[in-house]
Amino acid sequence: MGQPLTLATSPLAPTVRVQPGPIRLAIVDSDSGFVRVLAKRVEEMGWQHRILSGPVRPDELVSMRVHAVVVDLALLGSSAWEFLERLCDELPALGVIVCTGQSTVAQRVRGLRLGADDWVTKPTHPQEVVARVESVVRRRKRADSSEDAGPVHAGELEIRPDQFQTFVGGQSIDLTRREFELLHLLAGSEGRVLEREEVYRHVWGYTMVRGDRSVDVFVRKLRQKIERFSPDWTYIHTHFGIGYRFEPVPAEGTLPPEAPADEVAAEADAELPMPS
């Protein structure tokens, strides 16, 4: 159909870089009417695309060499959240746009927290989907440019944007995509206090809703993971009522700082079950 994608003979590394040339898009959707109109618009844009009527393994998307995927979660049934989480964790450089039917605020928040770059509600005009895909791919290209600067060394940490991984003494810290993006942002602004709203805008790509505690929760989890590998250093410092500052400081001979009350409350909120 149009300019279909062909499978590569050998798989790429999971962090597929956005290369110059036409956008390569995978569409995971069984809504024939919507897909037909979207595919037509994509062809007019000169993009390459692949239409998939069911779930696909992340390694298959790697071998398709796509820049982004548009996915209807309703197609995946009870495995939708698991699929989305795995997709975002295993392919952190892939743009993920959820395009599905009516949903609750909690469901949209859950999807974005799992790593989706954008969420579009059907019915929607395919032109809007195309514009959102373009926006996500542009952000990826800017991220690729910043990754070319090489690894960041801070205290005992080696932060590798090209691999979406952080190492301590050669051991990789098991960070989710959002946790890595948060760490990379903070480390790139070493010594400067970043307000919560600024962090949310850069990492999540949206304006923070009043009362949202996502930043506090993710900072707390990030701290815990880093401290397990590098207990003799303190990296992320809280500025109460403002935000966070990244600055590696040897913590030898000092007690680990207690978690601020607002972070503890946010952590408790985050553990509440969300609607399916």
Side-chain angles (χ1 to χ4, degrees):
M1 177 179 291
Q3 301 180 52
L5 295 175
T6 56
L7 295 178
T9 56
S10 59
L12 298 176
T15 53
V16 180
R17 301 289 293 272
V18 178
Q19 302 295 340
I23 292 176
R24 297 189 291 274
L25 176 68
I27 305 169
V28 183
D29 199 322
S30 61
D31 182 344
S32 58
F34 174 78
V35 169
R36 183 171 60 254
V37 177
L38 178 58
K40 181 179 179 181
R41 182 55 184 157
V42 165
E43 291 169 7
E44 292 172 353
M45 299 283 291
W47 295 4
Q48 298 175 338
H49 68 279
R50 181 71 176 268
I51 299 172
L52 306 163
S53 58
V56 59
R57 297 194 313 272
D59 62 311
E60 292 182 75
L61 288 172
V62 170
S63 48
M64 292 176 197
R65 302 175 184 265
V66 294
H67 299 131
V69 57
V70 173
V71 56
D72 185 349
L73 293 183
L75 174 67
L76 308 177
S78 61
S79 64
W81 296 121
E82 180 184 356
F83 173 82
L84 183 61
E85 182 175 20
R86 183 182 175 196
L87 189 66
C88 295
D89 279 349
E90 295 187 19
L91 300 180
L94 179 70
V96 178
I97 300 93
V98 175
C99 184
T100 193
Q102 293 298 319
S103 56
T104 65
V105 172
Q107 288 170 332
R108 294 191 292 275
V109 168
R110 182 178 183 180
L112 294 169
R113 283 178 172 170
L114 286 176
D117 294 281
D118 206 344
W119 186 295
V120 189
T121 300
K122 290 181 179 179
T124 184
H125 197 287
Q127 184 65 29
E128 179 181 355
V129 178
V130 167
R132 290 176 182 268
V133 171
E134 288 180 313
S135 177
V136 168
V137 173
R138 277 199 304 270
R139 291 201 298 269
R140 296 296 177 189
K141 286 182 178 178
R142 288 197 293 268
D144 282 350
S145 298
S146 66
E147 290 165 15
D148 291 337
V152 176
H153 296 274
E156 295 180 325
L157 302 182
E158 180 185 4
I159 303 169
R160 294 292 304 268
D162 59 327
Q163 299 178 17
F164 283 82
Q165 292 189 71
T166 299
F167 299 91
V168 173
Q171 286 187 293
S172 176
I173 303 177
D174 183 22
L175 301 180
T176 66
R177 171 177 166 177
R178 288 288 190 228
E179 289 167 349
F180 178 84
E181 290 176 345
L182 174 60
L183 176 59
H184 190 217
L185 173 66
L186 292 172
S189 305
E190 183 174 343
R192 183 166 73 89
V193 179
L194 297 182
E195 296 184 13
R196 285 178 173 83
E197 292 78 5
E198 182 180 359
V199 172
Y200 194 92
R201 189 169 61 252
H202 279 85
V203 176
W204 278 262
Y206 297 86
T207 301
M208 188 170 71
V209 177
R210 183 177 179 82
D212 192 327
R213 312 305 292 272
S214 300
V215 174
D216 299 322
V217 171
F218 271 73
V219 167
R220 179 168 171 76
K221 290 181 181 294
L222 179 59
R223 274 179 173 151
Q224 291 173 340
K225 289 186 177 183
I226 292 175
E227 287 172 0
R228 284 201 294 268
F229 285 80
S230 183
D232 296 329
W233 288 75
T234 299
Y235 295 91
I236 303 173
H237 309 267
T238 300
H239 288 255
F240 299 102
I242 303 175
Y244 297 96
R245 171 176 54 87
F246 183 92
E247 186 172 350
V249 176
E252 185 176 357
T254 62
L255 293 174
E258 293 183 0
D262 59 347
E263 290 182 19
V264 174
E267 177 76 5
D269 291 343
E271 296 303 323
L272 292 176
M274 301 187 72
S276 304

